[in-house]
Amino acid sequence: MNVNVPPGTIPNATPAMEWPEGALTRIPYWIYQSPEIAALEQQRLFEGPVWNYLCLEAEVQKPGDYRTTFIGHMPVVVARDFDDEIYAFENRCAHRGALIALDSGGHARDFTCVYHAWNYDLKGNLKAVAFEDGVGGKGGMGKTFCRSDHGPRKLRIATFCGLVFGSLSDDVPPIEEYLGEEVAAKIKRVLHKPVIVTGRFTQMLPNNWKLYFENVKDTYHASLLHTFFTTFRINRLSQRGGMVVSPDGGSHASFSFVDKQNKENDYAAMGIRSENEDFALKDPSLLDNADEFGDGCHMQILTVFPNMVLQQIQNALAVRQVLPKAQTQTALNWTTIGFADDTPEMTTRRLRQNNLAGPAGYVSMEDGAVGGFVQRGVAAAAGERAVVEMGGSGTAAEGTRATEASVRGFWKCYRGHMGI
């Protein structure tokens, strides 16, 4: 299939595959279903002028440390070389296309492809070819063969607050400009000192990647879908809070503050299923929260377009990486973190509160299912559209979380990159 099409053109488009001019409040369901769209996303978005989250600096802390990851479908190696700089390159041997690094991470002086033993340094440069000069004067590579002409694609690298980002584009702006001042400040608020990795796991979701990324940006659903949030007053729309959105719409941060004096019962009055006063915790210490950032903000969910989520739910901290695996399958990589100077008591608190999030988390368990509900629900509705009008039609930050402004911001940014 040829995906080198002009901006604004959808390959093999049908009359149903049209997006109303300028509309961000109507999201066509074919956007989650089209194989042509998936191919364009890899080319125009993930390999385009964006900063893809790759890993944490803490995961490649010493020279020789490496991690394998992805940008979209492209496998990537991230390594710290012996010059103490971080490099990233496509995890693809220049010879026959096999993976160069097979493990999820580790420590190495260089990489050798298992297929034909082509060898690469930690920058991704081809350094040696097995039997390059042949055997006994016969065979081998031609005299014009030059190793420096061959190698995997290399990424530009940007680091910010211990996060490592990569891009294949020369047109992507500097990382702080890309994030926007307000989102950058919210990252600095959490990642203000060196971190350590406390755990990793991958959750497979039965839906298109965009449905999960929308969901994390959707500040309106959290206290409606998640019974635990509302019942134990961790996140209620009536609490003090708000959000910020980057100028391009792609990144955002939402936040809320516990108000123990506010005993409103708006949810119960409306008969919303999210509140269940019959629920109780056998061990209330699960919600023993320490105000470690000194601002009373007990919850902040932040996204960086197109694939990163930074989570602070009480004292449970994590970075999530969103990766498309198939049109209706998404890998969600979780890396739970703490700080290098955490006390034993704080470490215990974080590990306990990590049960709030994740595939079986008290808070976010439903997020792993609801995207699949949408994917199944729209299976025969390619020509129909979602209604995204909560809070109006704009993408600007508001003094409320009863809005879908950051969801509209995602589509504003997405459409700009995709040219549709």
Side-chain angles (χ1 to χ4, degrees):
M1 180 183 64
N2 177 20
V3 296
N4 294 306
V5 295
T9 303
I10 303 170
N12 304 322
T14 66
M17 291 174 61
E18 296 176 353
W19 200 310
E21 182 70 26
L24 297 175
T25 61
R26 297 292 185 271
I27 312 304
Y29 290 128
W30 54 256
I31 202 72
Y32 310 111
Q33 302 167 337
S34 164
E36 291 80 19
I37 286 295
L40 282 175
E41 286 173 349
Q42 182 64 33
Q43 180 195 66
R44 294 184 178 175
L45 200 158
F46 296 107
E47 297 182 27
V50 303
W51 285 113
N52 296 271
Y53 168 74
L54 299 177
C55 66
L56 294 165
E57 285 193 83
E59 297 179 281
V60 286
Q61 193 167 21
K62 301 185 298 296
D65 288 350
Y66 74 93
R67 294 290 300 172
T68 57
T69 183
F70 292 85
I71 57 170
H73 296 293
M74 178 191 290
V76 170
V77 178
V78 184
R80 187 180 290 273
D81 196 10
F82 293 95
D83 62 4
D84 208 32
E85 295 294 324
I86 296 174
Y87 298 88
F89 51 92
E90 187 176 12
N91 192 0
R92 174 188 57 82
C93 181
H95 179 216
R96 298 291 298 279
L99 292 172
I100 297 170
L102 301 179
D103 296 330
S104 61
H107 188 83
R109 292 198 64 84
D110 54 22
F111 300 101
T112 299
C113 176
V114 298
Y115 199 179
H116 296 93
W118 285 33
N119 177 266
Y120 300 84
D121 66 16
L122 297 176
K123 297 180 175 69
N125 298 315
L126 178 61
K127 303 303 290 184
V129 172
F131 298 108
E132 182 176 353
D133 296 326
V135 178
K138 297 180 180 180
M141 305 300 288
K143 293 182 179 180
T144 60
F145 177 77
C146 179
R147 290 193 297 269
S148 62
D149 293 338
H150 302 276
R153 287 178 284 182
K154 297 179 180 179
L155 282 65
R156 294 177 59 199
I157 290 293
T159 59
F160 184 76
C161 292
L163 302 166
V164 181
F165 297 90
S167 180
L168 282 167
S169 173
D170 292 329
D171 296 327
V172 63
I175 185 63
E176 289 202 53
E177 180 183 338
Y178 180 85
L179 295 169
E181 183 178 352
E182 292 180 306
V183 172
K186 294 297 183 183
I187 294 176
K188 290 177 182 178
R189 172 188 168 270
V190 175
L191 301 179
H192 65 291
K193 55 185 175 178
V195 304
I196 57 171
V197 174
T198 60
R200 299 184 184 93
F201 58 91
T202 297
Q203 178 182 4
M204 298 306 296
L205 306 177
N207 51 264
N208 186 270
W209 72 274
K210 297 185 290 296
L211 285 168
Y212 182 79
F213 209 66
E214 279 184 296
N215 176 76
V216 183
K217 288 176 166 292
D218 180 356
T219 54
Y220 167 46
H221 87 278
S223 65
L224 300 170
L225 177 65
H226 306 306
T227 300
F228 194 95
F229 258 163
T230 311
T231 299
F232 296 103
R233 296 178 180 268
I234 297 173
N235 187 350
R236 299 163 74 95
L237 288 177
S238 52
Q239 290 173 338
R240 184 167 60 94
M243 68 172 185
V244 297
V245 182
S246 62
D248 67 357
S251 302
H252 97 294
S254 63
F255 46 90
S256 61
F257 302 81
V258 169
D259 183 359
K260 295 182 179 179
Q261 305 305 314
N262 183 1
K263 299 300 182 183
E264 56 74 24
N265 62 351
D266 292 349
Y267 289 81
M270 290 186 285
I272 295 175
R273 61 160 284 279
S274 297
E275 181 160 19
N276 192 326
E277 297 296 347
D278 295 329
F279 287 174
L281 288 173
K282 188 173 182 179
D283 181 6
S285 69
L286 174 70
L287 300 181
D288 176 20
N289 180 52
D291 184 14
E292 61 179 310
F293 303 108
D295 56 8
C297 177
H298 71 291
M299 181 168 172
Q300 176 180 290
I301 301 295
L302 181 150
T303 62
V304 176
F305 186 90
N307 72 334
M308 194 200 92
V309 182
L310 175 62
Q311 159 208 309
Q312 176 221 340
I313 301 176
Q314 307 239 69
N315 301 113
L317 308 178
V319 182
R320 311 175 199 170
Q321 182 188 38
V322 183
L323 296 174
K325 290 300 176 184
Q327 194 60 14
T328 59
Q329 188 178 52
T330 299
L332 183 59
N333 292 333
W334 298 70
T335 304
T336 60
I337 58 175
F339 294 117
D341 63 356
D342 279 348
T343 63
E345 293 76 17
M346 178 59 84
T347 297
T348 298
R349 179 183 288 112
R350 291 199 203 283
L351 293 175
R352 182 185 295 122
Q353 291 186 8
N354 281 344
N355 290 296
L356 294 172
Y362 298 127
V363 167
S364 65
M365 164 176 66
E366 298 89 349
D367 288 328
V370 73
F373 297 163
V374 176
Q375 195 78 54
R376 289 156 58 189
V378 304
E384 302 296 326
R385 301 181 178 110
V387 179
V388 187
E389 289 186 6
M390 181 63 63
S393 60
T395 63
E398 302 180 40
T400 178
R401 287 166 296 131
T403 177
E404 292 167 313
S406 53
V407 179
R408 292 187 291 270
F410 167 76
W411 289 111
K412 171 187 172 183
C413 187
Y414 175 92
R415 292 184 66 194
H417 283 285
M418 291 286 288
I420 59 175

